């Protein structure tokens, strides 16, 4: 499979590219190499079988990166808390508009499979209750559960959903 990893030069994206390669998949990286994410300059030897230095808000760059791609892992984002509220348009541009441009170009290219990064900053840590053990902190979901489409976290004591 050939996978477009947006933000593939970043912390999560670089691990995704390495994991794809280890599993025998090809990757295309689309990354704008934002100075805020790469204060020491562009990393040398970017991962990926093909690298497009470009912005997810740029339709042409996204369309180019999508050529021959089967699925997309969208990790390009401005992350962390802004230092200044004046940065808000930049965050909304990269994160919201960028995702919208990506989705529009995926629709045009007929690419239908997307993994979208989420963050606790958006969805919160949540609270989990077991009918027998009360409030609990579940560990990571088991791969077998994920493969079977079971996303409900399990009680660390009794395994109940
Ligand atoms: N790092 C974590 O622990 C963590 C935890 C939860 C969620 N996430 C989510 O994972 C995603 C990736 O986070 P990360 O930690 O790898 O961040 P990062 O800053 O290390 O990487 C993001 C990459 O995206 C690129 N980028 C930013 N805006 C872009 C644009 N407009 N066009 C093209 N490239 C652009 C940057 O240059 C950078 O290489 C984010 O959505 C983040 O919220 C990360
Ligand atoms: Zn329990």
């Amino acid at each position: 499979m050939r996978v477009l990893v947006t933000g593939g030069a970043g912390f999560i994206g670089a691990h995704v590219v390495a994991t794809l390669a280890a599993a025998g998949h090809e990757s295309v990286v689309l990354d704008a190499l934002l100075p805020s994410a790469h204060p020491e300059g562009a990393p040398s030897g970017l991962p990926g079988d093909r690298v497009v230095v470009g912005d997810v808000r740029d339709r042409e760059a996204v369309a180019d990166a999508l050529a021959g791609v089967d699925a997309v892992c969208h990790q390009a984002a401005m992350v962390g808390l802004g230092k200044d509220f004046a940065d808000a348009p930049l965050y909304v541009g990269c994160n919201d508009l960028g995702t919208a441009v990506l989705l529009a170009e995926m629709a045009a290219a007929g690419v239908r499979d997307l993994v979208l990064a989420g963050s606790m900053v958006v969805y919160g840590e949540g609270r989990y209750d077991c009918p027998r053990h009360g409030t609990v902190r579940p560990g990571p979901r088991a791969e077998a559960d994920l493969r079977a489409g079971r996303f409900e976290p399990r009680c660390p004591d009794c395994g109940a959903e």
Side-chain angles (χ1 to χ4, degrees):
M1 185 186 256
R2 188 173 167 95
V3 181
L4 169 60
V5 183
T6 71
F11 176 63
I12 302 281
H15 284 284
V16 171
V17 170
T19 305
L20 284 168
H25 299 292
E26 252 182 82
S27 56
V28 179
V29 166
L30 173 66
D31 200 298
L33 303 175
L34 290 194
S36 56
H38 304 278
E40 277 128 42
S44 61
L46 282 172
D49 299 288
R50 184 179 169 221
V51 177
V52 177
V53 176
D55 199 295
V56 281
R57 293 167 291 178
D58 175 351
R59 299 190 82 121
E60 282 177 17
V62 174
D64 172 26
L66 277 169
V69 155
D70 303 296
V72 177
C73 182
H74 184 34
Q75 302 293 333
M78 277 191 55
V79 304
L81 296 173
K83 295 194 178 81
D84 191 330
F85 195 69
D87 294 338
L90 207 50
Y91 276 80
V92 172
C94 286
N95 300 354
D96 299 340
L97 176 62
T99 301
V101 170
L102 174 66
L103 291 174
E105 291 306 317
M106 283 178 66
V111 180
R112 302 193 57 83
D113 289 323
L114 172 73
V115 174
L116 175 68
S119 166
M120 222 162 68
V121 174
V122 175
Y123 56 71
E125 183 162 13
R127 202 185 99 144
Y128 302 92
D129 292 310
C130 169
R132 276 174 60 201
H133 297 99
T135 300
V136 292
R137 277 194 86 154
R141 292 165 177 84
E143 194 171 331
D145 279 343
L146 295 177
R147 285 192 187 282
R150 288 188 298 262
F151 299 108
E152 200 64 38
R154 294 183 179 282
C155 171
D157 294 328
C158 69
E161 290 193 347

